[in-house]
Amino acid sequence: MGTRQTKGGLADRAPGAAPAARRERPDFWASLLPRAGDKAGPPPYHRRVGMARELLRMVRQGRRDEAGSLLQHLRQDLGMESTSLDDVLYRYASFRNLVDPITHDLIISLARYIHCPKPEGDALGAMEKLCRQLAYHLSPHSQWRRHRGLVKRKPQACLKAVLAGSPLDNTVDLSGIPLTSRDLERVSSYLQRCGEQVDSVELGFTGLTDDMVLQLLPALSTLPRLTTLALNGNRLTRALLRDLTDTLKDPSKFPNVTWIDLGNNVDIFSLPQPFLLSLRKRSPKQGHLPTILELGESPGCVEEAWDGTVGQEDPAGDHEAPHKDLEDREPVGPAQT
């Protein structure tokens, strides 16, 4: 795919610029690929945002075929494995309910514009808006907006400010602030001290790894009022799901949690059935939780150990068409998935 896109890129440049393009393009594509064993590297959202921005550039240059190939690569990186648009629309429909409905809807809308172009209206403008929304949603920019007065400070100053007083609106919001293992010790102490007031903990885009979440898990799981936990946009893997599922089996842990956001991580593309069942038992009246179907009831089989688990309801609320809801503004809000 990289070679085909490199050639396409040269066609849109002036003859004098071709040599520079040949030197730069391979480096760009190499930067998008994950490095095996590079656990200390940047979180996956860096790569995905890069692909969304490159997709926007291709769309503006009229390179529709290459944009389609890049979108396919992005879909696969996000766990939507199929190369067929029909399969993505129907077979992997559960993806939007189990992990990240906003990303799913933006990807599907882009695929429709690329593969089924409509002559009427400003199709190019619509595609550009979708690309910008996708890049925004997959990055921590929306999280930074919450820390308006803290954005220009250093991470340690931001952390100190958030942990200085009582949780604002009963929420511990550290999203977008890079955390270290030592920082997590301070966070744990804070949660133990103010835990009775905490309803929500936001840890999206903080650079967390599996080990760091396990370090924080004892403090998080004992919060008596915690309902939502956001862990999106980090470097978490499916190995963590077993620990979270085992923790949820203990009724004394996470007594009031209704959802844990695990979207936009390394390879968590779907959630195991025991995990979802545990959440359902804790909040049976919560209509925004995924519906667990029995084996044989689902229209397609998701390729995980939780056979036949397909969500029918949107755990993030009504996000059927996020790009329509945000017609007059660029940012797409963080998904509670």
Side-chain angles (χ1 to χ4, degrees):
M1 183 176 66
T3 302
R4 185 164 60 252
Q5 287 158 343
T6 300
K7 291 179 180 179
L10 298 180
D12 297 301
R13 299 175 183 270
R22 288 192 184 97
R23 288 193 300 270
E24 295 173 359
R25 298 284 285 174
D27 293 337
F28 171 79
W29 288 111
S31 70
L32 296 183
L33 299 175
R35 298 178 181 180
D38 187 10
K39 295 183 179 180
Y45 77 81
H46 284 270
R47 178 175 69 255
R48 293 161 185 167
V49 169
M51 284 191 276
R53 289 174 176 166
E54 177 67 3
L55 182 65
L56 175 57
R57 195 172 73 87
M58 289 178 174
V59 166
R60 286 172 172 167
Q61 294 176 351
R63 296 153 55 194
R64 189 177 298 273
D65 290 342
E66 294 174 69
S69 296
L70 181 57
L71 181 62
Q72 173 185 318
H73 187 76
L74 178 56
R75 290 202 318 245
Q76 292 173 338
D77 192 46
L78 289 165
M80 302 166 70
E81 298 292 343
S82 176
T83 58
S84 164
L85 179 58
D86 287 339
D87 280 352
V88 171
L89 284 171
Y90 302 110
R91 183 181 179 191
Y92 296 99
S94 61
F95 177 88
R96 73 180 304 278
N97 295 312
L98 297 177
V99 179
D100 190 345
I102 292 181
T103 297
H104 178 278
D105 287 344
L106 290 172
I107 289 284
I108 293 304
S109 296
L110 278 170
R112 285 192 176 118
Y113 273 107
I114 290 175
H115 297 289
C116 309
K118 296 181 180 180
E120 68 275 6
D122 185 10
L124 177 59
M127 287 183 65
E128 288 181 342
K129 179 174 287 189
L130 287 171
C131 288
R132 289 193 299 267
Q133 288 179 341
L134 181 60
Y136 190 94
H137 177 60
L138 291 175
S139 70
H141 295 98
S142 56
Q143 318 295 330
W144 290 337
R145 292 174 66 89
R146 299 182 186 179
H147 302 296
R148 296 180 184 279
L150 306 177
V151 169
K152 295 182 180 179
R153 302 186 190 179
K154 294 181 179 179
Q156 286 299 317
C158 294
L159 179 62
K160 184 177 180 181
V162 173
L163 302 182
S166 299
L168 184 63
D169 297 326
N170 298 323
T171 297
V172 179
D173 188 357
L174 300 174
S175 52
I177 302 175
L179 299 176
T180 65
S181 294
R182 188 171 183 178
D183 293 333
L184 294 184
E185 295 177 4
R186 299 172 59 188
V187 174
S188 295
S189 298
Y190 179 81
L191 293 176
Q192 292 171 1
R193 186 170 67 254
C194 303
E196 294 289 337
Q197 308 171 48
V198 178
D199 293 337
S200 176
V201 176
E202 302 282 343
L203 293 168
F205 302 99
T206 54
L208 294 179
T209 62
D210 291 357
D211 290 339
M212 294 172 73
V213 172
L214 293 178
Q215 177 184 345
L216 200 56
L217 198 57
L220 290 171
S221 62
T222 55
L223 297 178
R225 294 177 47 183
L226 182 68
T227 57
T228 59
L229 172 62
L231 299 171
N232 57 302
N234 289 298
R235 296 197 294 266
L236 308 182
T237 71
R238 280 182 289 186
L240 180 66
L241 291 175
R242 182 178 297 277
D243 295 281
L244 286 176
T245 301
D246 289 343
T247 302
L248 288 172
K249 291 177 181 178
D250 185 345
S252 67
K253 304 292 179 64
F254 290 116
N256 288 303
V257 71
T258 59
W259 195 248
I260 300 178
D261 184 346
L262 292 163
N264 201 13
N265 276 285
V266 177
D267 59 356
I268 302 176
F269 306 134
S270 55
L271 303 178
Q273 189 175 23
F275 180 92
L276 295 172
L277 285 172
S278 296
L279 288 175
R280 200 120 182 100
K281 289 178 181 178
R282 291 162 189 273
S283 50
K285 297 181 180 180
Q286 291 290 336
H288 66 277
L289 288 179
T291 298
I292 309 301
L293 298 183
E294 296 300 327
L295 181 61
E297 291 183 353
S298 62
C301 178
V302 181
E303 299 166 0
E304 291 291 338
W306 51 282
D307 294 340
T309 303
V310 177
Q312 291 295 308
E313 296 172 306
D314 188 345
D318 184 13
H319 289 296
E320 277 298 318
H323 52 287
K324 293 181 181 178
D325 297 336
L326 302 168
E327 202 66 38
D328 298 322
R329 54 193 174 96
E330 284 302 321
V332 174
Q336 176 184 312
T337 62

